[in-house]
């Protein structure tokens, strides 16, 4: 069983015209190996000045002096970058972008001192989003997600992973994945679908150990085969955490997903160090995500393999927690590190991936260049796409983001501001604020 996403032609590049991106103060190419970058490889984002970029049929064709490109590509239309910084489009490799109502009420309850258990007892938390999503029509969910994901695009993001996981029944998970599939076909950004039927144990299966096992059997025997057979997801993911899914349960579910042809991700070691990173490494998962509580053994396990460590510091900021993923130790150990928003209604309702780069620098102690690599090349690696997107290199998709700043360090510096003026996906305008392109 294989997922058909790979075999599809790049619909974003169809009919794309020949372009030259001129007058950028810096072109941050992130050029280098087409895989997750490790250790010192993350330190160099390859910022060039005095160069332009040509794009033919949606693919980067050349990087060089403007006069040379004008001679080679005589019919090209020029895009004036107005002295800004041109970068690979940002890759947000972890979101829960399909949900119904926002949960702003819970933020106030948290501020008033209520803990997660008490908020859940009052009907909040993931289960609130599950009840809500089950009541929403597919059309409503699509329209809400479309608008929200285009907000992510407005901050410079050109590829967005979107998980299911607020359905937690066969019908509601399939409903969510159909919404994601429609987003993938209709939005100007690239969308990558992940099946997260094991986001929580649904309320109706929490009555006994037997009921809990019955839900896991539904995930393994019913949901995963149908999802894979219909090409509705590229990845399967599990929330492996104390009080949610155990390491053994996560292994059972992910092994079934792999047998069905899905690639693997894992929510691991967010709050407690339960062996999630070790499990992700042992299964050669494409990414292990969160990791604020990863153990030394977990770091060593990831360092031996190719799993990308995807860090989500926005959740800790929003929840007001002081825990931090040990980004510097991960990088020093040779683990490829990515940054993502974790965009979701409960713990990280921000569409702003450049703000996450700010947290990468100020909270996780990355350099600006490392934070850029983490949200481009390594985000692409966290989606198994590092051979196609994430760098401005000939042969790569022309997914580009233009920022109204002087230097790549300004992207994490002007925190919370939106300096992105335009994005292109496969050479086509996706989001443009004042270039008059869309
Ligand atoms: Zn998540």
């Amino acid at each position: 069983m294989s997922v058909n996403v790979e075999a599809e032609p790049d619909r974003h590049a169809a009919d794309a015209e020949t372009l030259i991106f001129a007058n950028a103060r810096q072109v941050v190419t992130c050029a280098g190996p087409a895989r997750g970058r490790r250790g010192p490889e993350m330190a160099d984002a390859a910022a060039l000045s005095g160069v332009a970029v040509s794009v033919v049929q949606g693919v980067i064709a050349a990087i060089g002096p403007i006069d040379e490109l004008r001679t080679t590509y005589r019919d090209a239309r020029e895009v004036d970058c107005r002295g800004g910084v041109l970068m690979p489009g940002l890759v947000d490799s972890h979101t829960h972008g399909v949900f119904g109502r926002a949960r702003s009420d819970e933020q106030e309850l948290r501020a008033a001192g209520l803990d997660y258990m008490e908020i859940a007892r009052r009907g909040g938390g993931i289960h609130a989003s599950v009840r809500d999503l089950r009541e929403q029509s597919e059309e409503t969910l699509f329209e809400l997600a479309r608008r929200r994901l285009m907000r992510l695009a407005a901050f410079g993001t050109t590829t967005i992973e979107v998980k299911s996981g607020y359905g937690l029944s066969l019908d509601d998970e399939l409903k969510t994945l159909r919404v994601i599939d429609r987003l993938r076909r209709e939005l100007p950004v690239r969308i990558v679908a992940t099946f997260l039927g094991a986001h929580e144990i649904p309320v109706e299966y929490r009555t006994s150990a037997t009921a809990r096992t019955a839900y896991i059997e539904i995930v393994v025997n019913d949901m995963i085969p149908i999802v894979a057979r219909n090409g509705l997801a590229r990845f399967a993911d599990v929330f492996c955490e104390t009080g949610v899914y155990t390491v053994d349960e996560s292994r059972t579910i992910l092994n079934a997903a792999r047998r069905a042809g899905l690639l693997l991700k894992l929510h691991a070691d967010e709050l407690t160090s339960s062996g999630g990173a070790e499990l992700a490494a042992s299964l050669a998962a494409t990414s292990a995500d969160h990791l604020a509580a990863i153990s030394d053994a977990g770091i060593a396990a990831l360092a031996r393999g190719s799993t990308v460590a995807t860090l989500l510091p926005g959740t800790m900021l929003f929840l007001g927690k002081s825990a931090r993923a040990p980004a510097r130790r991960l990088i020093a150990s040779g683990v490829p590190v990515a940054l993502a928003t974790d965009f979701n209604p409960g713990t990280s309702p921000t569409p702003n991936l450049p703000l996450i780069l700010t947290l990468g620098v100020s909270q996780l102690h990355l350099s600006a260049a490392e934070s850029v690599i983490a949200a481009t090349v390594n985000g692409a690696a966290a989606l198994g796409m590092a051979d196609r997107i994430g760098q401005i290199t000939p042969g790569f998709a022309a997914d580009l983001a233009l920022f109204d700043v002087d230097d790549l360090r300004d992207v994490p510096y002007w925190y919370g501001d939106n300096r992105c003026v335009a994005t292109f996906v496969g050479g086509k305008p996706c989001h443009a604020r004042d270039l008059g392109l869309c």
Side-chain angles (χ1 to χ4, degrees):
M1 182 68 56
S2 67
V3 182
N4 60 18
V5 176
E6 299 281 355
E8 283 181 11
D10 185 357
R11 72 168 175 88
H12 298 281
D15 311 323
E17 56 188 330
T18 300
L19 299 170
I20 294 176
F21 289 81
N23 306 324
R25 188 182 308 267
Q26 261 183 0
V27 176
V28 180
T29 66
C30 300
R35 53 159 173 77
R37 305 280 172 79
R38 300 162 182 272
E41 291 175 346
M42 286 187 67
D44 185 5
L48 307 177
S49 51
V51 298
V53 177
S54 64
V55 170
V56 177
Q57 293 181 336
V59 175
I60 306 287
I63 297 131
I66 183 70
D67 293 344
E68 282 182 20
L69 297 189
R70 281 177 179 150
T71 306
T72 310
Y73 304 95
R74 289 186 186 282
D75 297 330
R77 185 165 69 86
E78 287 197 17
V79 177
D80 183 357
C81 295
R82 300 182 191 175
V85 171
L86 187 68
M87 300 194 346
L90 300 178
V91 179
D92 196 343
S93 62
H94 185 136
T95 86
H96 303 255
V98 177
F99 57 90
R101 73 168 182 84
R103 287 169 25 208
S104 44
D105 48 337
E106 291 175 26
Q107 192 189 17
E108 281 191 330
L109 295 176
R110 258 193 312 276
L114 276 64
D115 67 10
Y116 179 82
M117 296 308 292
E118 179 59 22
I119 291 171
R121 203 186 61 74
R122 296 186 183 199
I126 285 179
H127 298 296
S129 288
V130 173
R131 279 195 310 276
D132 181 52
L133 181 136
R134 288 175 177 179
E135 288 170 8
Q136 305 278 359
S137 73
E138 217 164 302
E139 186 64 32
T140 301
L141 289 170
F142 172 80
E143 193 51 35
L144 287 169
R146 184 186 67 77
R147 281 188 232 156
R148 288 165 179 161
L149 296 182
M150 289 313 291
R151 292 298 306 149
L152 272 70
F155 283 90
T157 299
T158 52
T159 296
I160 308 171
E161 184 256 20
V162 184
K163 301 175 196 295
S164 68
Y166 296 122
L168 305 189
S169 72
L170 176 61
D171 285 352
D172 293 300
E173 285 297 304
L174 291 177
K175 177 171 81 171
T176 310
L177 289 167
R178 283 194 302 269
V179 169
I180 298 172
D181 194 54
R182 187 175 163 200
L183 295 163
R184 185 175 68 81
R185 285 182 281 110
E186 295 188 18
L187 263 53
V189 286
R190 297 183 200 277
I191 301 286
V192 178
T194 295
F195 166 66
L196 181 57
H199 194 188
E200 247 296 6
I201 303 283
V203 171
E204 60 273 25
Y205 289 91
R206 296 169 80 86
T207 47
S208 67
T210 314
R212 180 186 177 91
T213 305
Y215 181 69
I216 293 168
E217 285 174 359
I218 289 169
V219 172
V220 167
N221 298 327
D222 298 344
M223 295 186 190
I224 286 172
I226 293 178
V227 168
R229 198 182 316 132
N230 290 286
L232 285 171
R234 184 151 196 250
F235 290 94
D237 192 347
V238 175
F239 204 123
C240 178
E241 187 67 49
T242 305
V244 194
Y245 289 89
T246 67
V247 167
D248 283 346
E249 290 166 346
S250 303
R251 185 185 297 110
T252 299
I253 294 164
L254 291 179
N255 272 325
R258 178 155 59 190
R259 282 196 301 275
L262 299 173
L263 299 171
L264 309 183
K265 289 179 164 289
L266 192 63
H267 282 66
D269 301 331
E270 178 181 2
L271 306 170
T272 54
S273 148
S274 61
E278 292 91 322
L279 174 64
S282 75
L283 294 170
T286 308
S287 73
D289 300 35
H290 277 296
L291 305 175
I294 189 173
S295 67
D296 290 345
I299 294 175
L302 290 181
R304 286 192 293 272
S306 59
T307 302
V308 175
T310 300
L311 310 184
L312 310 165
T315 60
M316 295 300 170
L317 175 84
F318 188 72
L319 295 175
K321 294 190 174 182
S322 56
R324 305 274 181 267
R328 284 259 58 95
R329 284 200 291 134
L330 285 161
I331 292 171
S333 303
V335 179
V337 167
L339 288 169
T341 59
D342 196 14
F343 178 65
N344 79 79
T347 62
S348 188
T350 182
N352 186 340
L353 188 47
L355 174 64
I356 304 303
L357 269 60
T358 303
L359 299 179
V361 176
S362 67
Q363 309 287 299
L364 303 180
H365 305 285
L366 304 186
S367 69
E370 286 171 332
S371 76
V372 166
I373 293 288
T376 53
V377 180
N378 284 6
L383 296 178
M385 297 170 77
D387 59 340
R388 280 161 277 169
I389 60 169
Q391 43 180 312
I392 302 179
T393 296
F396 277 66
D399 292 8
L400 303 166
L402 177 63
F403 288 86
D404 177 21
V405 294
D406 297 333
D407 183 276
L408 84 89
R409 286 171 295 191
D410 294 337
V411 175
Y413 173 76
W414 294 111
Y415 89 109
D417 192 6
N418 187 0
R419 294 299 188 105
C420 178
V421 290
T423 60
F424 295 78
V425 176
K428 279 187 177 168
C430 168
H431 158 76
R433 216 159 61 189
D434 59 2
L435 286 183
L437 292 164
C438 328

